[in-house]
Amino acid sequence: MELDAVNERGNAEAGLASVLGTLVSTFSRAPVMHGKRMRDLLNLSPEGFLVATVSALHHSADPQGYRYLVKLLATRGLLIPLLGDTTLPLSFALNLARTVKIEPQLHFRLTRTLADSVLESRDLPEDTACRLLEILCAITEFAGLQLFLRQILSHPSARIRSKAGLLISRGPAGARAVEKLLLDENERVRANATEALWDCEPEHSLPLFLRVLNDPHHRVVGNAIVGLYRCGDLRAFNAILQLISHPDPMFRAAGVWAMGRTKDPRYLTQLARMLAESSGPGRRGLFNAVNSIKKAAVTRASNPPLKVTVLRTDANDERKITIYLVIEGPNISEPPRVQPTGMALFADGSPVTIVECIEKSSNSATLGIVLPGRMDGNERFDQCVEEAVSACLKNKSKREPWSIAYYAPAPTGATRLPGAEPASTPAPKSLAAGSPYTISSDSLRRTLNSRTSENSPLPVWFDAASAAISGVIPARDSRHLITFVRLSAEIDSESIERLQMLALDKHVAVHALCLETDRRISHLCHTTGGQCRVIQSVEDIEPQLLLVYASIKSCFAVTFLKSGVADPMPKTIGIQVFNDTQFGQTEWHP
C-alpha cells in the first residue's frame, strides 16, 4: 500500500519522506512489518530513501524505530554519506554514530570505513574529511586511533593534518604526539598544533610554547603566548607586551587577540589606551578583546566569589616580599583552580611585579587530629571543638586517611576564652585514646562522639601526638598533624623538642590551634612546615580549623618586588585572584 502511494504522488521524495516518517514513529507497534517495509522502500529508491531519512530521524519519537533505521543505513553502507554531509548539524551526525556504537560489529565496520574514507580518498573534500575525523574520535577509544591519526599526519592536505594534530592532543601522548607538527612547513598546521597543546600537561607543553615564541608567523606566536598564560607562566606578560609593540601590524593584532583570549581584566586599561590611539582596521580586534574580557567579568560577578586569606608574609630579601595565601571555593576539599597568571598584587594601591608563584597542593593528605579531652567547666569550648572537627569532616576528601586522638587536659590553671563559661575546678574525663587511620568518615564521627564516653585514662599530649605521627600511613601527597593546645602548661618544652624531631623524621607537618601565644609551639610548627594559629574566641575555632585544612589542600607562596631596596614593608597589600568563572580579593595589613 505504501509503495503504491509513493509511486502515485507527483513528488516522490515528499511521499517517501512522509511514509518513512510514519514507519519510524510507529515502529514499536509492529517492528517486524515496519522493518520489512523500510527495507522495501530502500530497495526501491536508495537515493530517495537517504534524503527521506534525514526528516524521519529528526522527527522520530520512537527510539526503537530510530535505532532500527540507523542500523539499516549502516548495514547497507549508507551511513558514511549521511555522516559526511556538511549541510547537516554535527550534533545530528554524532547521534547517528553513537547509536551504531552500541552494536559492536556495526561499530567496528563503521570505524574502519570512516578511517579508510579519510586515508584512501584523497579527493574527499576537506570539510567532509575533517568532519569524519571528528566523528571517528567521538565514537572510538583513543588507544585504537593512535596509529591511524599518526598516518593522517602525512596527509597532503594541511588542514587535515592540522585537524589530526588537534585530535591527537586529546590523547595520553598529548604534547609528544603534536610536537612533530610544530615543524610543519604550513603555518596553519603549526598554529593549530600550538593551540592543541593548550590543554596538555604544562610539564610537556610549556617547553614547546617557549620554543615557538620566535616562529615567523603571528598566529603561531599568539597561540604560544596564550598557552603560556594558561600554564600560569609569568613570562606570558612580557611576551604580550613585546607582541603589541611589534613593527608588523599582524603581530600587533595577534597580541591584542591574545589579550582577549586571556580574559585578564588588567588588560582593559591597555586596550582602552590603544583604542584611543587607533583609527585603522585594527579597532575591530581591540573591541573584540575588550568585549571578551568584559563578558568574562560578568560571568565572574554572577558566581560566588573566591575567598582569599593571607597566612603570613616574609621579607627576608632586601628586594623581595613573599606572601602566603589560601584561596577557597565552596568546597574546601576541591580548591578552585587559579593559575599564577590569575593573581594581581598591589602595594599601598600600586601594582607590583610578581616574580614567582609556587603552589603547594595536596590531592590526598594523611591527617591526624589531636584534641584535648573534655573538662568540666569548659563545655562551650569542647562543643565548639567538636563542631569544628565535624565541619572539617564534611569537607574531607573520600580517599584521605584521617585519625582522631585525645590527650589528657591539664587539671589546673585553665584559661577561659572570651564567650566561654567560667571554669570551675577542672576534672578530666577519661576517654578512649582515639582511632586508627581510616578513610571512613562515619568511623571518625563515632570516635569524635566518643568524647562523651568514659573509658580508659587518656595519654599525655606528647604520647597522643607522637602516636598519631608514628601511626601515619604512607600518603600519596603529604602528611599532617593538627593539634589543639588549650593551655601552654599542658605541654613541656622537652616534649615539644622530641615531637619536632619525630615529625621531621616522619616528614609530618605539625599545625597547632592555640588559646594563647606560645613561641615554643610556633617554632615547632614553623620548623616542620606547618602553621600556628591563635584562637581569639570560641567562635573562632571552626573558621581557623577550616583555614588550616584549606591551606593543607592548597597554599600559594607569591613573591613580588619592592619598588626599591630601602623601601619598607608596605602598609597594605591588595590581592586579586581570578580564573575564567570566579573572582576574589582581599587586603592584608602586615
Side-chain angles (χ1 to χ4, degrees):
M1 296 288 296
E2 284 80 9
L3 297 181
D4 295 339
V6 171
N7 290 328
E8 292 174 358
R9 294 185 186 183
N11 190 337
E13 289 185 358
L16 183 57
S18 176
V19 173
L20 184 59
T22 301
L23 292 174
V24 174
S25 299
T26 60
F27 184 85
S28 57
R29 299 178 186 176
V32 176
M33 182 181 299
H34 285 12
K36 182 179 182 304
R37 291 175 177 175
M38 285 186 198
R39 296 192 296 274
D40 290 342
L41 288 174
L42 175 57
N43 294 332
L44 178 66
S45 176
E47 294 183 1
F49 186 89
L50 194 59
V51 173
T53 294
V54 177
S55 175
L57 292 174
H58 265 304
H59 300 94
S60 173
D62 189 327
Q64 190 177 351
Y66 182 97
R67 289 193 297 270
Y68 182 85
L69 181 53
V70 174
K71 288 169 58 178
L72 179 61
L73 293 172
T75 54
R76 296 295 183 91
L78 295 175
L79 194 56
I80 297 296
L82 203 58
L83 297 177
D85 188 347
T86 55
T87 63
L88 299 176
L90 180 60
S91 58
F92 174 78
L94 287 173
N95 286 336
L96 295 181
R98 289 181 180 127
T99 301
V100 175
K101 187 176 180 179
I102 62 176
E103 296 286 340
Q105 291 185 346
L106 289 178
H107 178 234
F108 175 76
R109 289 171 54 186
L110 176 63
T111 53
R112 285 292 302 272
T113 306
L114 280 170
D116 291 344
S117 298
V118 177
L119 273 176
E120 298 175 4
S121 301
R122 300 296 184 179
D123 297 331
L124 194 67
E126 289 183 343
D127 287 345
T128 302
C130 289
R131 180 185 176 95
L132 293 179
L133 274 175
E134 184 77 29
I135 295 170
L136 182 60
C137 287
I139 66 170
T140 309
E141 295 296 329
F142 186 84
L145 286 177
Q146 291 190 51
L147 179 60
F148 163 70
L149 289 175
R150 291 180 187 277
Q151 290 177 299
I152 294 294
L153 294 180
S154 61
H155 198 282
S157 167
R159 183 178 175 188
I160 294 176
R161 292 199 307 274
S162 173
K163 185 67 173 180
L166 284 170
L167 295 172
I168 285 177
S169 69
R170 300 176 186 175
R176 294 189 299 274
V178 180
E179 187 173 359
K180 176 183 175 181
L181 296 177
L182 297 176
L183 303 175
D184 197 283
E185 61 182 11
N186 185 279
E187 64 274 4
R188 179 174 187 168
V189 175
R190 298 197 307 276
N192 279 2
T194 307
E195 181 182 346
L197 295 170
W198 284 357
D199 295 320
C200 295
E201 289 297 323
E203 59 182 300
H204 301 304
S205 61
L206 189 58
L208 300 180
F209 289 137
L210 294 171
R211 182 192 302 177
V212 297
L213 278 180
N214 296 320
D215 192 277
H217 197 270
H218 61 277
R219 186 182 164 198
V220 179
V221 178
N223 282 345
I225 290 176
V226 174
L228 285 178
Y229 186 95
R230 290 167 65 98
C231 287
D233 194 292
L234 298 172
R235 287 171 286 190
F237 295 114
N238 284 333
I240 287 181
L241 291 178
Q242 292 177 10
L243 205 57
I244 61 176
S245 59
H246 198 282
D248 188 330
M250 298 301 291
F251 277 84
R252 294 198 298 272
V256 170
W257 172 84
M259 286 180 173
R261 286 292 301 182
T262 65
K263 303 176 185 178
D264 193 322
R266 288 170 289 188
Y267 286 127
L268 285 176
T269 303
Q270 176 72 34
L271 290 168
R273 184 162 53 247
M274 295 173 70
L275 271 172
E277 299 171 354
S278 174
S279 59
R283 288 177 63 84
R284 180 177 180 181
L286 290 166
F287 277 118
N288 288 340
V290 170
N291 290 336
S292 177
I293 295 173
K294 288 185 174 180
K295 185 177 179 180
V298 172
T299 300
R300 294 176 186 129
S302 64
N303 291 320
L306 297 172
K307 180 182 177 183
V308 185
T309 305
V310 177
L311 301 177
R312 70 179 193 275
T313 56
D314 286 342
N316 298 328
D317 191 294
E318 290 184 347
R319 289 295 312 275
K320 301 176 183 177
I321 297 174
T322 300
I323 184 168
Y324 297 85
L325 54 91
V326 175
I327 304 171
E328 299 176 59
N331 189 347
I332 295 177
S333 63
E334 298 178 4
R337 188 61 183 157
V338 177
Q339 294 282 12
T341 44
M343 298 183 184
L345 299 184
F346 304 85
D348 295 327
S350 300
V352 295
T353 302
I354 298 176
V355 295
E356 185 179 54
C357 181
I358 301 174
E359 181 184 8
K360 184 179 180 181
S361 61
S362 172
N363 293 323
S364 179
T366 299
L367 177 60
I369 302 177
V370 178
L371 311 173
R374 278 188 172 275
M375 292 179 64
D376 291 336
N378 284 267
E379 286 79 5
R380 177 64 177 148
F381 171 83
D382 293 329
Q383 179 185 356
C384 289
V385 168
E386 291 177 8
E387 291 174 352
V389 177
S390 294
C392 207
L393 273 171
K394 292 179 181 178
N395 292 282
K396 174 187 173 296
S397 176
K398 292 182 179 179
R399 58 181 180 175
E400 287 181 342
W402 284 22
S403 173
I404 298 176
Y406 317 107
Y407 67 92
T412 59
T415 297
R416 182 168 60 90
L417 280 175
E421 299 87 345
S424 59
T425 302
K429 289 187 176 181
S430 297
L431 310 160
S435 67
Y437 281 87
T438 176
I439 62 173
S440 170
S441 296
D442 291 338
S443 177
L444 292 165
R445 288 191 185 94
R446 286 193 295 271
T447 302
L448 183 63
N449 293 334
S450 74
R451 297 182 82 229
T452 60
S453 67
E454 297 203 9
N455 297 309
S456 58
L458 290 177
V460 296
W461 175 81
F462 173 78
D463 290 341
S466 61
I469 290 178
S470 299
V472 168
I473 62 174
R476 293 184 181 89
D477 292 330
S478 57
R479 306 172 181 183
H480 300 265
L481 175 74
I482 299 177
T483 178
F484 285 80
V485 180
R486 182 155 37 194
L487 300 171
S488 297
E490 295 174 332
I491 304 173
D492 61 88
S493 297
E494 182 182 353
S495 295
I496 293 176
E497 292 176 2
R498 290 169 60 197
L499 191 74
Q500 176 178 311
M501 295 177 61
L502 180 62
L504 291 173
D505 181 61
K506 298 291 186 180
H507 305 288
V508 174
V510 179
H511 312 265
L513 279 75
C514 306
L515 302 191
E516 54 190 15
T517 303
D518 189 318
R519 292 184 178 180
R520 302 170 306 157
I521 297 176
S522 295
H523 179 71
L524 163 67
C525 295
H526 180 74
T527 304
T528 59
Q531 55 181 301
C532 183
R533 314 290 300 179
V534 177
I535 301 170
Q536 303 298 330
S537 67
V538 289
E539 289 77 15
D540 196 33
I541 295 174
E542 181 174 323
Q544 291 286 6
L545 178 59
L546 291 174
L547 176 61
V548 170
Y549 180 54
S551 69
I552 290 173
K553 300 301 293 183
S554 176
C555 178
F556 291 89
V558 187
T559 302
F560 63 93
L561 294 176
K562 296 180 181 179
S563 300
V565 176
D567 288 351
M569 174 75 77
K571 295 180 180 179
T572 303
I573 299 176
I575 304 136
Q576 295 181 353
V577 300
F578 54 87
N579 52 29
D580 285 347
T581 59
Q582 291 174 288
F583 177 87
Q585 60 182 343
T586 191
E587 281 192 351
W588 172 250
H589 304 278

